[in-house]
Amino acid sequence: MLAKRIIPCLDVKDGRTVKGINFEGLRDVGDPVELGRRYAEEGADELVYLDISASQEGRSTFLDLVGRVAAGVNIPFTVGGGISTLQHASALLDAGADKISVNSAAVANPELISEIAGHYGSQFVVVAVDARLDEDGIWRVTTHGGSRVTDKELFSWAKEACDRGAGEILFTSMNHDGTGNGYPLEVYEKLSGLPVPVIASGGAGNARHIAEVLAPGRADAALAASIFHYGTLSIAQVKKELAERGIPVRNSL
């Protein structure tokens, strides 16, 4: 079995790492370059940076940040947030990002996945999928931070994204995100049948939750933000729990 990955996520606004709920009540939690370097030193396998700045000035600041991150870390990092064209993706990859993540724009224009993958290769493209379980028991894909429900169904959309060239799928359950009550394990078991790695996001409250979702036959990686930013868990604690459960990890301490 391949080693499971632990991936801290940093939301960036105007060059600073912030954290809030649905992008409201944002709190400054540190310099993204320094945080990224620290997480890399603590054993993170990869990093994800999400640009939540809406302005063109914010995008310029973010491009500069990507270059500084690339110069300061020796692990892969993915960049997402507002990527809606091949040109947006190209600018970030040229600035030093290892992969890019697309979400709402890919739902609106699925050809975007094919275009970026066709130009750079599938290994550069992560498709993030946010979905909500409705009253009929169907996982409906949502966009714009979970605020808009679409007519797409989770599993068919994830398969389409793979068919179009996605190299990884990052799934977040909007029913579980922020609850700290764990992940919908049965969903990750079904997604594990996809031909690409699956990253779990949202719902972790402790190391056991992460270990459960990374057990064989489920997700290949786990992404988290608040638990690392606020010191609820360290990367070493998570990897220790995984190792004790016989789940292979990289840089185990």
Side-chain angles (χ1 to χ4, degrees):
M1 183 186 359
L2 293 175
K4 303 291 187 173
R5 292 169 287 151
I6 302 300
I7 308 174
C9 179
L10 298 93
D11 295 330
V12 178
K13 180 176 174 61
D14 299 328
R16 298 291 295 180
T17 308
V18 296
K19 194 58 191 166
I21 299 175
N22 294 326
F23 300 147
E24 296 181 358
L26 297 177
R27 295 171 53 190
D28 188 308
V29 294
D31 176 74
V33 177
E34 291 303 317
L35 278 173
R37 184 180 295 118
R38 190 185 88 197
Y39 290 144
E41 292 172 350
E42 291 177 357
D45 300 298
E46 297 184 19
L47 299 167
V48 167
Y49 286 84
L50 297 179
D51 179 12
I52 65 171
S53 298
S55 67
Q56 186 62 41
E57 291 78 9
R59 184 171 295 278
S60 176
T61 300
F62 193 67
L63 280 171
D64 175 70
L65 166 72
V66 170
R68 290 189 289 123
V69 171
V73 302
N74 60 355
I75 58 176
F77 71 103
T78 300
V79 172
I83 299 172
S84 59
T85 67
L86 175 63
Q87 290 70 32
H88 288 161
S90 297
L92 292 164
L93 291 168
D94 291 346
D98 295 287
K99 293 182 275 190
I100 59 92
S101 173
V102 292
N103 190 335
S104 298
V107 174
N109 174 27
E111 183 61 29
L112 178 66
I113 303 170
S114 308
E115 188 176 12
I116 299 173
H119 192 82
Y120 285 104
S122 294
Q123 70 272 22
F124 291 98
V125 185
V126 178
V127 173
V129 183
D130 302 334
R132 189 183 304 279
L133 184 64
D134 68 15
E135 295 178 352
D136 297 325
I138 298 173
W139 285 93
R140 297 290 183 190
V141 175
T142 66
T143 62
H144 299 81
S147 63
R148 302 182 188 179
V149 180
T150 74
D151 60 357
K152 292 185 182 292
E153 185 270 337
L154 166 63
F155 301 105
S156 59
W157 169 235
K159 182 181 184 303
E160 179 182 348
C162 293
D163 291 342
R164 288 182 175 275
E168 291 182 285
I169 297 294
L170 166 59
F171 167 61
T172 302
S173 162
M174 303 310 295
N175 301 78
H176 296 73
D177 189 44
T179 67
N181 293 327
Y183 300 88
L185 301 180
E186 71 286 353
V187 177
Y188 288 100
E189 288 170 0
K190 188 169 181 178
L191 287 172
S192 70
L194 293 171
V196 302
V198 174
I199 304 169
S201 169
N206 53 50
R208 176 176 57 82
H209 290 153
I210 295 175
E212 287 172 347
V213 81
L214 295 182
R218 293 176 184 156
D220 301 278
L223 178 145
S226 298
I227 58 173
F228 295 138
H229 296 340
Y230 298 134
T232 305
L233 287 172
S234 69
I235 294 168
Q237 287 174 313
V238 172
K239 289 197 168 186
K240 182 174 183 291
E241 178 84 17
L242 295 178
E244 289 175 350
R245 289 172 174 256
I247 299 171
V249 292
R250 304 170 183 171
N251 304 320
S252 182
L253 301 177

